[in-house]
Amino acid sequence: MAKLSITQLNDIRALSRTLVRELGFMHRSVANTDLSPSAVHAIVEIGLAKSLTANDLCELLILEKSSISRLVKSLLKKELIKEFHSKTDGRVKVLSLTVKGQQQLKAIDAYAQARISTSLQHLGKSDYLSLRNGLTLYTESLTNSRNNKG
């Protein structure tokens, strides 16, 4: 692709800022919870995977080990996750959701589904596919750019 103009770059930046704000990431908490954005994402990712290590969370959330360590301690204290030793390597601690964490995940999912459903209900199938394809291209481009820097 040809180099983007300043106007095109500014358009994407403005849309990205609006998306972040509309999704609630400028707030202290998201998804109608009292949890930080990283805590909500950790609960979702652990719930989807059923269990993850702290290193897995570092990669998925693109956060430093020290941030993940504080996040895990916080979620353990809130009794949203539990830790246990890996069956294959006793040195590795595995994280999974507690019953309380599973309930929190259900609430997060219900909030997210209602929010997205309401906001996209006016789209037709072709608009939905355009949106999905555009978001896919954008997220893949961001990921590729981050991965190619190192």
Side-chain angles (χ1 to χ4, degrees):
M1 177 179 181
K3 185 175 177 183
L4 296 177
S5 70
I6 293 296
T7 301
Q8 290 170 316
L9 291 172
N10 287 338
D11 285 346
I12 297 299
R13 289 182 62 209
L15 290 166
S16 296
R17 289 191 309 275
T18 301
L19 181 62
V20 166
R21 288 191 292 261
E22 287 297 331
L23 291 173
F25 287 107
M26 298 300 289
H27 301 185
R28 260 190 139 57
S29 63
V30 295
N32 207 27
T33 70
D34 63 349
L35 300 170
S36 68
S38 57
V40 169
H41 279 258
I43 288 170
V44 169
E45 296 300 341
I46 293 168
L48 288 171
K50 304 298 182 218
S51 65
L52 292 173
T53 66
N55 283 341
D56 295 333
L57 271 182
C58 281
E59 290 180 26
L60 284 167
L61 301 184
I62 315 171
L63 292 172
E64 298 292 324
K65 287 183 181 183
S66 60
S67 297
I68 291 295
S69 178
R70 287 189 300 275
L71 177 60
V72 166
K73 285 178 187 173
S74 170
L75 294 174
L76 286 167
K77 186 176 180 181
K78 293 177 190 232
E79 299 179 343
L80 294 170
I81 64 171
K82 57 188 172 187
E83 262 182 335
F84 55 94
H85 290 282
S86 168
K87 293 176 184 174
T88 58
D89 185 345
R91 299 169 294 175
V92 175
K93 290 185 179 177
V94 179
L95 310 170
S96 66
L97 296 180
T98 61
V99 170
K100 185 176 175 183
Q102 292 169 2
Q103 292 168 342
Q104 184 70 78
L105 176 59
K106 285 181 186 175
I108 291 167
D109 284 345
Y111 174 86
Q113 295 213 357
R115 179 76 201 279
I116 300 301
S117 175
T118 300
S119 66
L120 301 182
Q121 67 186 353
H122 69 283
L123 294 183
K125 185 176 181 176
S126 66
D127 289 335
Y128 162 78
L129 292 173
S130 293
L131 175 63
R132 185 183 183 289
N133 290 338
L135 287 171
T136 299
L137 285 171
Y138 188 41
T139 57
E140 286 174 351
S141 294
L142 290 169
T143 300
N144 290 337
S145 175
R146 178 177 46 84
N147 289 335
N148 290 331
K149 278 193 173 184

